[in-house]
PDB file of all heavy atoms in Angstrom:
ATOM      1  N   LEU A 637     -61.916  91.317-112.029  1.00 94.00           N
ATOM      2  CA  LEU A 637     -61.862  91.763-110.637  1.00 94.00           C
ATOM      3  C   LEU A 637     -60.629  91.176-109.965  1.00 94.00           C
ATOM      4  O   LEU A 637     -60.334  89.989-110.123  1.00 94.00           O
ATOM      5  CB  LEU A 637     -63.125  91.331-109.880  1.00 94.00           C
ATOM      6  CG  LEU A 637     -64.428  91.995-110.321  1.00 94.00           C
ATOM      7  CD1 LEU A 637     -65.605  91.424-109.534  1.00 94.00           C
ATOM      8  CD2 LEU A 637     -64.354  93.511-110.130  1.00 94.00           C
ATOM      9  N   PRO A 638     -59.892  91.977-109.203  1.00 96.00           N
ATOM     10  CA  PRO A 638     -58.640  91.506-108.606  1.00 96.00           C
ATOM     11  C   PRO A 638     -58.855  90.613-107.393  1.00 96.00           C
ATOM     12  O   PRO A 638     -59.769  90.824-106.594  1.00 96.00           O
ATOM     13  CB  PRO A 638     -57.943  92.805-108.197  1.00 96.00           C
ATOM     14  CG  PRO A 638     -59.063  93.753-107.917  1.00 96.00           C
ATOM     15  CD  PRO A 638     -60.141  93.406-108.914  1.00 96.00           C
ATOM     16  N   TYR A 639     -57.964  89.628-107.271  1.00 98.00           N
ATOM     17  CA  TYR A 639     -57.926  88.761-106.090  1.00 98.00           C
ATOM     18  C   TYR A 639     -56.742  89.116-105.188  1.00 98.00           C
ATOM     19  O   TYR A 639     -56.816  88.934-103.975  1.00 98.00           O
ATOM     20  CB  TYR A 639     -57.786  87.300-106.511  1.00 98.00           C
ATOM     21  CG  TYR A 639     -58.952  86.756-107.289  1.00 98.00           C
ATOM     22  CD1 TYR A 639     -58.766  86.162-108.535  1.00 98.00           C
ATOM     23  CD2 TYR A 639     -60.248  86.838-106.785  1.00 98.00           C
ATOM     24  CE1 TYR A 639     -59.837  85.647-109.256  1.00 98.00           C
ATOM     25  CE2 TYR A 639     -61.323  86.327-107.498  1.00 98.00           C
ATOM     26  CZ  TYR A 639     -61.107  85.740-108.734  1.00 98.00           C
ATOM     27  OH  TYR A 639     -62.172  85.238-109.442  1.00 98.00           O
ATOM     28  N   LYS A 640     -55.653  89.598-105.799  1.00 98.00           N
ATOM     29  CA  LYS A 640     -54.450  89.893-105.023  1.00 98.00           C
ATOM     30  C   LYS A 640     -53.715  91.070-105.647  1.00 98.00           C
ATOM     31  O   LYS A 640     -53.643  91.201-106.870  1.00 98.00           O
ATOM     32  CB  LYS A 640     -53.526  88.678-104.972  1.00 98.00           C
ATOM     33  CG  LYS A 640     -52.250  88.881-104.151  1.00 98.00           C
ATOM     34  CD  LYS A 640     -51.326  87.676-104.234  1.00 98.00           C
ATOM     35  CE  LYS A 640     -51.875  86.490-103.457  1.00 98.00           C
ATOM     36  NZ  LYS A 640     -51.844  86.733-101.993  1.00 98.00           N
ATOM     37  N   PHE A 641     -53.166  91.923-104.769  1.00 98.00           N
ATOM     38  CA  PHE A 641     -52.385  93.079-105.220  1.00 98.00           C
ATOM     39  C   PHE A 641     -51.121  93.170-104.371  1.00 98.00           C
ATOM     40  O   PHE A 641     -51.159  92.995-103.149  1.00 98.00           O
ATOM     41  CB  PHE A 641     -53.201  94.362-105.075  1.00 98.00           C
ATOM     42  CG  PHE A 641     -52.436  95.619-105.406  1.00 98.00           C
ATOM     43  CD1 PHE A 641     -52.110  95.920-106.714  1.00 98.00           C
ATOM     44  CD2 PHE A 641     -52.057  96.503-104.400  1.00 98.00           C
ATOM     45  CE1 PHE A 641     -51.406  97.080-107.022  1.00 98.00           C
ATOM     46  CE2 PHE A 641     -51.354  97.662-104.696  1.00 98.00           C
ATOM     47  CZ  PHE A 641     -51.039  97.952-106.003  1.00 98.00           C
ATOM     48  N   ILE A 642     -49.985  93.420-105.013  1.00 97.00           N
ATOM     49  CA  ILE A 642     -48.696  93.512-104.324  1.00 97.00           C
ATOM     50  C   ILE A 642     -48.031  94.833-104.675  1.00 97.00           C
ATOM     51  O   ILE A 642     -47.986  95.236-105.842  1.00 97.00           O
ATOM     52  CB  ILE A 642     -47.776  92.342-104.724  1.00 97.00           C
ATOM     53  CG1 ILE A 642     -48.385  91.009-104.271  1.00 97.00           C
ATOM     54  CG2 ILE A 642     -46.380  92.522-104.129  1.00 97.00           C
ATOM     55  CD1 ILE A 642     -47.669  89.792-104.822  1.00 97.00           C
ATOM     56  N   ARG A 643     -47.540  95.519-103.649  1.00 96.00           N
ATOM     57  CA  ARG A 643     -46.804  96.764-103.853  1.00 96.00           C
ATOM     58  C   ARG A 643     -45.509  96.701-103.063  1.00 96.00           C
ATOM     59  O   ARG A 643     -45.506  96.686-101.832  1.00 96.00           O
ATOM     60  CB  ARG A 643     -47.635  97.966-103.400  1.00 96.00           C
ATOM     61  CG  ARG A 643     -46.953  99.304-103.667  1.00 96.00           C
ATOM     62  CD  ARG A 643     -47.777 100.450-103.134  1.00 96.00           C
ATOM     63  NE  ARG A 643     -47.137 101.722-103.410  1.00 96.00           N
ATOM     64  CZ  ARG A 643     -47.306 102.835-102.686  1.00 96.00           C
ATOM     65  NH1 ARG A 643     -48.114 102.826-101.643  1.00 96.00           N
ATOM     66  NH2 ARG A 643     -46.680 103.942-103.000  1.00 96.00           N
ATOM     67  N   ASN A 644     -44.386  96.635-103.781  1.00 96.00           N
ATOM     68  CA  ASN A 644     -43.070  96.556-103.155  1.00 96.00           C
ATOM     69  C   ASN A 644     -42.224  97.670-103.758  1.00 96.00           C
ATOM     70  O   ASN A 644     -41.792  97.578-104.913  1.00 96.00           O
ATOM     71  CB  ASN A 644     -42.440  95.183-103.415  1.00 96.00           C
ATOM     72  CG  ASN A 644     -41.205  94.944-102.572  1.00 96.00           C
ATOM     73  OD1 ASN A 644     -40.464  95.869-102.271  1.00 96.00           O
ATOM     74  ND2 ASN A 644     -40.979  93.702-102.190  1.00 96.00           N
ATOM     75  N   ILE A 645     -41.972  98.730-102.976  1.00 94.00           N
ATOM     76  CA  ILE A 645     -41.326  99.911-103.544  1.00 94.00           C
ATOM     77  C   ILE A 645     -40.161 100.396-102.684  1.00 94.00           C
ATOM     78  O   ILE A 645     -40.113 100.179-101.480  1.00 94.00           O
ATOM     79  CB  ILE A 645     -42.330 101.074-103.709  1.00 94.00           C
ATOM     80  CG1 ILE A 645     -42.801 101.583-102.340  1.00 94.00           C
ATOM     81  CG2 ILE A 645     -43.496 100.656-104.585  1.00 94.00           C
ATOM     82  CD1 ILE A 645     -43.513 102.907-102.391  1.00 94.00           C
ATOM     83  N   ASP A 646     -39.239 101.066-103.371  1.00 94.00           N
ATOM     84  CA  ASP A 646     -38.161 101.804-102.712  1.00 94.00           C
ATOM     85  C   ASP A 646     -37.980 103.082-103.512  1.00 94.00           C
ATOM     86  O   ASP A 646     -37.479 103.064-104.635  1.00 94.00           O
ATOM     87  CB  ASP A 646     -36.869 100.982-102.688  1.00 94.00           C
ATOM     88  CG  ASP A 646     -35.753 101.676-101.900  1.00 94.00           C
ATOM     89  OD1 ASP A 646     -35.864 102.893-101.645  1.00 94.00           O
ATOM     90  OD2 ASP A 646     -34.789 100.995-101.534  1.00 94.00           O
ATOM     91  N   GLU A 647     -38.422 104.204-102.942  1.00 88.00           N
ATOM     92  CA  GLU A 647     -38.377 105.492-103.624  1.00 88.00           C
ATOM     93  C   GLU A 647     -37.547 106.465-102.796  1.00 88.00           C
ATOM     94  O   GLU A 647     -38.046 107.090-101.867  1.00 88.00           O
ATOM     95  CB  GLU A 647     -39.793 106.021-103.853  1.00 88.00           C
ATOM     96  CG  GLU A 647     -40.636 105.093-104.718  1.00 88.00           C
ATOM     97  CD  GLU A 647     -42.080 105.530-104.852  1.00 88.00           C
ATOM     98  OE1 GLU A 647     -42.493 106.436-104.090  1.00 88.00           O
ATOM     99  OE2 GLU A 647     -42.796 104.978-105.711  1.00 88.00           O
ATOM    100  N   GLY A 648     -36.275 106.530-103.111  1.00 88.00           N
ATOM    101  CA  GLY A 648     -35.378 107.402-102.376  1.00 88.00           C
ATOM    102  C   GLY A 648     -35.265 107.047-100.907  1.00 88.00           C
ATOM    103  O   GLY A 648     -35.101 107.918-100.046  1.00 88.00           O
ATOM    104  N   GLY A 649     -35.369 105.752-100.600  1.00 91.00           N
ATOM    105  CA  GLY A 649     -35.294 105.304 -99.218  1.00 91.00           C
ATOM    106  C   GLY A 649     -36.645 105.132 -98.557  1.00 91.00           C
ATOM    107  O   GLY A 649     -36.746 104.532 -97.475  1.00 91.00           O
ATOM    108  N   HIS A 650     -37.702 105.647 -99.191  1.00 91.00           N
ATOM    109  CA  HIS A 650     -39.072 105.430 -98.690  1.00 91.00           C
ATOM    110  C   HIS A 650     -39.550 104.086 -99.226  1.00 91.00           C
ATOM    111  O   HIS A 650     -39.700 103.901-100.434  1.00 91.00           O
ATOM    112  CB  HIS A 650     -40.001 106.539 -99.171  1.00 91.00           C
ATOM    113  CG  HIS A 650     -41.441 106.288 -98.875  1.00 91.00           C
ATOM    114  ND1 HIS A 650     -41.949 106.272 -97.597  1.00 91.00           N
ATOM    115  CD2 HIS A 650     -42.489 106.021 -99.706  1.00 91.00           C
ATOM    116  CE1 HIS A 650     -43.246 106.014 -97.635  1.00 91.00           C
ATOM    117  NE2 HIS A 650     -43.592 105.863 -98.901  1.00 91.00           N
ATOM    118  N   THR A 651     -39.775 103.129 -98.321  1.00 95.00           N
ATOM    119  CA  THR A 651     -40.097 101.770 -98.742  1.00 95.00           C
ATOM    120  C   THR A 651     -41.474 101.332 -98.261  1.00 95.00           C
ATOM    121  O   THR A 651     -41.965 101.785 -97.224  1.00 95.00           O
ATOM    122  CB  THR A 651     -39.050 100.772 -98.230  1.00 95.00           C
ATOM    123  OG1 THR A 651     -39.065 100.769 -96.784  1.00 95.00           O
ATOM    124  CG2 THR A 651     -37.666 101.147 -98.711  1.00 95.00           C
ATOM    125  N   LYS A 652     -42.083 100.434 -99.035  1.00 95.00           N
ATOM    126  CA  LYS A 652     -43.323  99.769 -98.650  1.00 95.00           C
ATOM    127  C   LYS A 652     -43.295  98.356 -99.189  1.00 95.00           C
ATOM    128  O   LYS A 652     -42.736  98.098-100.262  1.00 95.00           O
ATOM    129  CB  LYS A 652     -44.554 100.506 -99.186  1.00 95.00           C
ATOM    130  CG  LYS A 652     -44.877 101.791 -98.450  1.00 95.00           C
ATOM    131  CD  LYS A 652     -46.304 102.251 -98.715  1.00 95.00           C
ATOM    132  CE  LYS A 652     -46.630 103.462 -97.855  1.00 95.00           C
ATOM    133  NZ  LYS A 652     -48.060 103.830 -97.940  1.00 95.00           N
ATOM    134  N   ASP A 653     -43.910  97.437 -98.433  1.00 97.00           N
ATOM    135  CA  ASP A 653     -44.003  96.045 -98.849  1.00 97.00           C
ATOM    136  C   ASP A 653     -45.377  95.540 -98.425  1.00 97.00           C
ATOM    137  O   ASP A 653     -45.556  95.044 -97.320  1.00 97.00           O
ATOM    138  CB  ASP A 653     -42.886  95.221 -98.213  1.00 97.00           C
ATOM    139  CG  ASP A 653     -42.794  93.815 -98.787  1.00 97.00           C
ATOM    140  OD1 ASP A 653     -43.599  93.481 -99.682  1.00 97.00           O
ATOM    141  OD2 ASP A 653     -41.927  93.035 -98.334  1.00 97.00           O
ATOM    142  N   LEU A 654     -46.357  95.716 -99.331  1.00 97.00           N
ATOM    143  CA  LEU A 654     -47.745  95.383 -99.026  1.00 97.00           C
ATOM    144  C   LEU A 654     -48.246  94.250 -99.902  1.00 97.00           C
ATOM    145  O   LEU A 654     -47.924  94.181-101.092  1.00 97.00           O
ATOM    146  CB  LEU A 654     -48.655  96.597 -99.245  1.00 97.00           C
ATOM    147  CG  LEU A 654     -48.433  97.842 -98.383  1.00 97.00           C
ATOM    148  CD1 LEU A 654     -49.347  98.957 -98.852  1.00 97.00           C
ATOM    149  CD2 LEU A 654     -48.684  97.528 -96.916  1.00 97.00           C
ATOM    150  N   GLU A 655     -49.059  93.381 -99.309  1.00 98.00           N
ATOM    151  CA  GLU A 655     -49.760  92.343-100.052  1.00 98.00           C
ATOM    152  C   GLU A 655     -51.222  92.385 -99.635  1.00 98.00           C
ATOM    153  O   GLU A 655     -51.534  92.293 -98.447  1.00 98.00           O
ATOM    154  CB  GLU A 655     -49.163  90.971 -99.766  1.00 98.00           C
ATOM    155  CG  GLU A 655     -49.752  89.859-100.618  1.00 98.00           C
ATOM    156  CD  GLU A 655     -49.005  88.551-100.459  1.00 98.00           C
ATOM    157  OE1 GLU A 655     -47.781  88.544-100.686  1.00 98.00           O
ATOM    158  OE2 GLU A 655     -49.648  87.557-100.089  1.00 98.00           O
ATOM    159  N   ILE A 656     -52.119  92.560-100.610  1.00 98.00           N
ATOM    160  CA  ILE A 656     -53.540  92.712-100.325  1.00 98.00           C
ATOM    161  C   ILE A 656     -54.325  91.610-101.017  1.00 98.00           C
ATOM    162  O   ILE A 656     -54.220  91.432-102.235  1.00 98.00           O
ATOM    163  CB  ILE A 656     -54.063  94.078-100.800  1.00 98.00           C
ATOM    164  CG1 ILE A 656     -53.258  95.214-100.145  1.00 98.00           C
ATOM    165  CG2 ILE A 656     -55.549  94.228-100.482  1.00 98.00           C
ATOM    166  CD1 ILE A 656     -53.606  96.590-100.667  1.00 98.00           C
ATOM    167  N   ASP A 657     -55.122  90.864-100.245  1.00 98.00           N
ATOM    168  CA  ASP A 657     -56.022  89.857-100.789  1.00 98.00           C
ATOM    169  C   ASP A 657     -57.446  90.402-100.730  1.00 98.00           C
ATOM    170  O   ASP A 657     -57.923  90.799 -99.652  1.00 98.00           O
ATOM    171  CB  ASP A 657     -55.914  88.554 -99.992  1.00 98.00           C
ATOM    172  CG  ASP A 657     -54.578  87.862-100.205  1.00 98.00           C
ATOM    173  OD1 ASP A 657     -54.330  87.409-101.336  1.00 98.00           O
ATOM    174  OD2 ASP A 657     -53.791  87.792 -99.249  1.00 98.00           O
ATOM    175  N   PHE A 658     -58.117  90.407-101.883  1.00 97.00           N
ATOM    176  CA  PHE A 658     -59.475  90.952-101.953  1.00 97.00           C
ATOM    177  C   PHE A 658     -60.513  89.840-101.848  1.00 97.00           C
ATOM    178  O   PHE A 658     -60.457  88.847-102.574  1.00 97.00           O
ATOM    179  CB  PHE A 658     -59.682  91.704-103.273  1.00 97.00           C
ATOM    180  CG  PHE A 658     -58.886  92.973-103.378  1.00 97.00           C
ATOM    181  CD1 PHE A 658     -57.722  93.014-104.135  1.00 97.00           C
ATOM    182  CD2 PHE A 658     -59.286  94.121-102.719  1.00 97.00           C
ATOM    183  CE1 PHE A 658     -56.976  94.185-104.235  1.00 97.00           C
ATOM    184  CE2 PHE A 658     -58.564  95.297-102.811  1.00 97.00           C
ATOM    185  CZ  PHE A 658     -57.399  95.334-103.576  1.00 97.00           C
ATOM    186  N   ASP A 659     -61.446  90.026-100.933  1.00 97.00           N
ATOM    187  CA  ASP A 659     -62.625  89.166-100.821  1.00 97.00           C
ATOM    188  C   ASP A 659     -63.753  89.911-101.511  1.00 97.00           C
ATOM    189  O   ASP A 659     -64.435  90.745-100.911  1.00 97.00           O
ATOM    190  CB  ASP A 659     -62.943  88.912 -99.343  1.00 97.00           C
ATOM    191  CG  ASP A 659     -64.146  87.991 -99.154  1.00 97.00           C
ATOM    192  OD1 ASP A 659     -64.888  87.747-100.131  1.00 97.00           O
ATOM    193  OD2 ASP A 659     -64.364  87.549 -98.007  1.00 97.00           O
ATOM    194  N   GLN A 660     -63.936  89.624-102.811  1.00 95.00           N
ATOM    195  CA  GLN A 660     -64.928  90.363-103.596  1.00 95.00           C
ATOM    196  C   GLN A 660     -66.359  90.051-103.158  1.00 95.00           C
ATOM    197  O   GLN A 660     -67.244  90.900-103.274  1.00 95.00           O
ATOM    198  CB  GLN A 660     -64.750  90.036-105.090  1.00 95.00           C
ATOM    199  CG  GLN A 660     -63.430  90.485-105.685  1.00 95.00           C
ATOM    200  CD  GLN A 660     -63.358  92.000-105.881  1.00 95.00           C
ATOM    201  OE1 GLN A 660     -64.325  92.723-105.654  1.00 95.00           O
ATOM    202  NE2 GLN A 660     -62.200  92.477-106.303  1.00 95.00           N
ATOM    203  N   LYS A 661     -66.582  88.852-102.644  1.00 96.00           N
ATOM    204  CA  LYS A 661     -67.931  88.466-102.215  1.00 96.00           C
ATOM    205  C   LYS A 661     -68.377  89.235-100.973  1.00 96.00           C
ATOM    206  O   LYS A 661     -69.509  89.703-100.890  1.00 96.00           O
ATOM    207  CB  LYS A 661     -67.982  86.966-101.944  1.00 96.00           C
ATOM    208  CG  LYS A 661     -69.359  86.461-101.521  1.00 96.00           C
ATOM    209  CD  LYS A 661     -69.349  84.952-101.299  1.00 96.00           C
ATOM    210  CE  LYS A 661     -70.724  84.452-100.876  1.00 96.00           C
ATOM    211  NZ  LYS A 661     -70.725  82.976-100.647  1.00 96.00           N
ATOM    212  N   ASN A 662     -67.472  89.388-100.009  1.00 97.00           N
ATOM    213  CA  ASN A 662     -67.811  90.040 -98.745  1.00 97.00           C
ATOM    214  C   ASN A 662     -67.290  91.474 -98.649  1.00 97.00           C
ATOM    215  O   ASN A 662     -67.406  92.105 -97.595  1.00 97.00           O
ATOM    216  CB  ASN A 662     -67.260  89.215 -97.575  1.00 97.00           C
ATOM    217  CG  ASN A 662     -67.889  87.837 -97.503  1.00 97.00           C
ATOM    218  OD1 ASN A 662     -69.103  87.697 -97.386  1.00 97.00           O
ATOM    219  ND2 ASN A 662     -67.053  86.796 -97.588  1.00 97.00           N
ATOM    220  N   HIS A 663     -66.723  91.978 -99.738  1.00 96.00           N
ATOM    221  CA  HIS A 663     -66.263  93.367 -99.817  1.00 96.00           C
ATOM    222  C   HIS A 663     -65.244  93.684 -98.726  1.00 96.00           C
ATOM    223  O   HIS A 663     -65.415  94.639 -97.945  1.00 96.00           O
ATOM    224  CB  HIS A 663     -67.439  94.342 -99.752  1.00 96.00           C
ATOM    225  CG  HIS A 663     -68.595  93.960-100.622  1.00 96.00           C
ATOM    226  ND1 HIS A 663     -68.436  93.545-101.928  1.00 96.00           N
ATOM    227  CD2 HIS A 663     -69.931  93.919-100.375  1.00 96.00           C
ATOM    228  CE1 HIS A 663     -69.626  93.270-102.455  1.00 96.00           C
ATOM    229  NE2 HIS A 663     -70.538  93.487-101.526  1.00 96.00           N
ATOM    230  N   LYS A 664     -64.174  92.904 -98.689  1.00 97.00           N
ATOM    231  CA  LYS A 664     -63.125  93.096 -97.711  1.00 97.00           C
ATOM    232  C   LYS A 664     -61.756  93.087 -98.401  1.00 97.00           C
ATOM    233  O   LYS A 664     -61.550  92.388 -99.399  1.00 97.00           O
ATOM    234  CB  LYS A 664     -63.135  91.987 -96.652  1.00 97.00           C
ATOM    235  CG  LYS A 664     -64.454  91.815 -95.904  1.00 97.00           C
ATOM    236  CD  LYS A 664     -64.699  92.925 -94.907  1.00 97.00           C
ATOM    237  CE  LYS A 664     -65.973  92.659 -94.111  1.00 97.00           C
ATOM    238  NZ  LYS A 664     -66.264  93.759 -93.150  1.00 97.00           N
ATOM    239  N   ALA A 665     -60.820  93.842 -97.825  1.00 98.00           N
ATOM    240  CA  ALA A 665     -59.421  93.802 -98.257  1.00 98.00           C
ATOM    241  C   ALA A 665     -58.585  93.354 -97.078  1.00 98.00           C
ATOM    242  O   ALA A 665     -58.565  94.015 -96.026  1.00 98.00           O
ATOM    243  CB  ALA A 665     -58.973  95.170 -98.740  1.00 98.00           C
ATOM    244  N   HIS A 666     -57.905  92.225 -97.228  1.00 98.00           N
ATOM    245  CA  HIS A 666     -57.033  91.685 -96.187  1.00 98.00           C
ATOM    246  C   HIS A 666     -55.608  92.164 -96.486  1.00 98.00           C
ATOM    247  O   HIS A 666     -54.981  91.710 -97.451  1.00 98.00           O
ATOM    248  CB  HIS A 666     -57.105  90.164 -96.159  1.00 98.00           C
ATOM    249  CG  HIS A 666     -58.475  89.640 -95.818  1.00 98.00           C
ATOM    250  ND1 HIS A 666     -58.815  89.225 -94.552  1.00 98.00           N
ATOM    251  CD2 HIS A 666     -59.599  89.495 -96.581  1.00 98.00           C
ATOM    252  CE1 HIS A 666     -60.082  88.825 -94.541  1.00 98.00           C
ATOM    253  NE2 HIS A 666     -60.579  88.981 -95.760  1.00 98.00           N
ATOM    254  N   ILE A 667     -55.117  93.071 -95.666  1.00 98.00           N
ATOM    255  CA  ILE A 667     -53.848  93.748 -95.936  1.00 98.00           C
ATOM    256  C   ILE A 667     -52.744  93.198 -95.051  1.00 98.00           C
ATOM    257  O   ILE A 667     -52.871  93.167 -93.825  1.00 98.00           O
ATOM    258  CB  ILE A 667     -53.989  95.266 -95.700  1.00 98.00           C
ATOM    259  CG1 ILE A 667     -55.133  95.821 -96.563  1.00 98.00           C
ATOM    260  CG2 ILE A 667     -52.679  95.980 -96.000  1.00 98.00           C
ATOM    261  CD1 ILE A 667     -55.549  97.224 -96.181  1.00 98.00           C
ATOM    262  N   ASN A 668     -51.668  92.783 -95.691  1.00 98.00           N
ATOM    263  CA  ASN A 668     -50.491  92.297 -94.975  1.00 98.00           C
ATOM    264  C   ASN A 668     -49.353  93.292 -95.215  1.00 98.00           C
ATOM    265  O   ASN A 668     -48.769  93.345 -96.290  1.00 98.00           O
ATOM    266  CB  ASN A 668     -50.105  90.903 -95.474  1.00 98.00           C
ATOM    267  CG  ASN A 668     -48.913  90.324 -94.723  1.00 98.00           C
ATOM    268  OD1 ASN A 668     -48.413  90.923 -93.774  1.00 98.00           O
ATOM    269  ND2 ASN A 668     -48.448  89.167 -95.160  1.00 98.00           N
ATOM    270  N   ASP A 669     -49.082  94.108 -94.185  1.00 97.00           N
ATOM    271  CA  ASP A 669     -47.989  95.070 -94.250  1.00 97.00           C
ATOM    272  C   ASP A 669     -46.731  94.364 -93.756  1.00 97.00           C
ATOM    273  O   ASP A 669     -46.459  94.280 -92.558  1.00 97.00           O
ATOM    274  CB  ASP A 669     -48.314  96.280 -93.368  1.00 97.00           C
ATOM    275  CG  ASP A 669     -47.266  97.383 -93.487  1.00 97.00           C
ATOM    276  OD1 ASP A 669     -46.135  97.089 -93.930  1.00 97.00           O
ATOM    277  OD2 ASP A 669     -47.570  98.536 -93.122  1.00 97.00           O
ATOM    278  N   LYS A 670     -45.960  93.837 -94.692  1.00 97.00           N
ATOM    279  CA  LYS A 670     -44.797  93.020 -94.337  1.00 97.00           C
ATOM    280  C   LYS A 670     -43.684  93.849 -93.705  1.00 97.00           C
ATOM    281  O   LYS A 670     -42.934  93.346 -92.856  1.00 97.00           O
ATOM    282  CB  LYS A 670     -44.283  92.283 -95.577  1.00 97.00           C
ATOM    283  CG  LYS A 670     -45.269  91.275 -96.138  1.00 97.00           C
ATOM    284  CD  LYS A 670     -44.682  90.548 -97.334  1.00 97.00           C
ATOM    285  CE  LYS A 670     -45.648  89.497 -97.866  1.00 97.00           C
ATOM    286  NZ  LYS A 670     -45.076  88.769 -99.030  1.00 97.00           N
ATOM    287  N   LYS A 671     -43.563  95.090 -94.089  1.00 96.00           N
ATOM    288  CA  LYS A 671     -42.525  95.953 -93.534  1.00 96.00           C
ATOM    289  C   LYS A 671     -42.716  96.156 -92.038  1.00 96.00           C
ATOM    290  O   LYS A 671     -41.752  96.133 -91.262  1.00 96.00           O
ATOM    291  CB  LYS A 671     -42.520  97.299 -94.258  1.00 96.00           C
ATOM    292  CG  LYS A 671     -41.510  98.284 -93.700  1.00 96.00           C
ATOM    293  CD  LYS A 671     -41.568  99.613 -94.432  1.00 96.00           C
ATOM    294  CE  LYS A 671     -40.621 100.630 -93.804  1.00 96.00           C
ATOM    295  NZ  LYS A 671     -40.663 101.941 -94.513  1.00 96.00           N
TER     296      LYS A 671
END
């Protein structure tokens, strides 16, 4: 089961910089949209 997920992309100028921390016990995703 995942604890952390990172997505850092640049696709033809379309960019995203996300970091997600999963709270598996309480069923929550804490999303940090750095962009």
Side-chain angles (χ1 to χ4, degrees):
L637 293 177
Y639 296 125
K640 181 185 288 291
F641 175 72
I642 296 170
R643 183 183 181 206
N644 191 327
I645 67 166
D646 185 344
E647 299 175 348
H650 172 67
T651 63
K652 286 198 174 188
D653 189 0
L654 297 175
E655 186 172 304
I656 303 174
D657 291 294
F658 292 102
D659 181 347
Q660 296 287 355
K661 181 179 180 180
N662 297 302
H663 315 315
K664 304 286 184 182
H666 297 261
I667 304 167
N668 182 4
D669 185 340
K670 295 182 178 181
K671 177 181 176 180

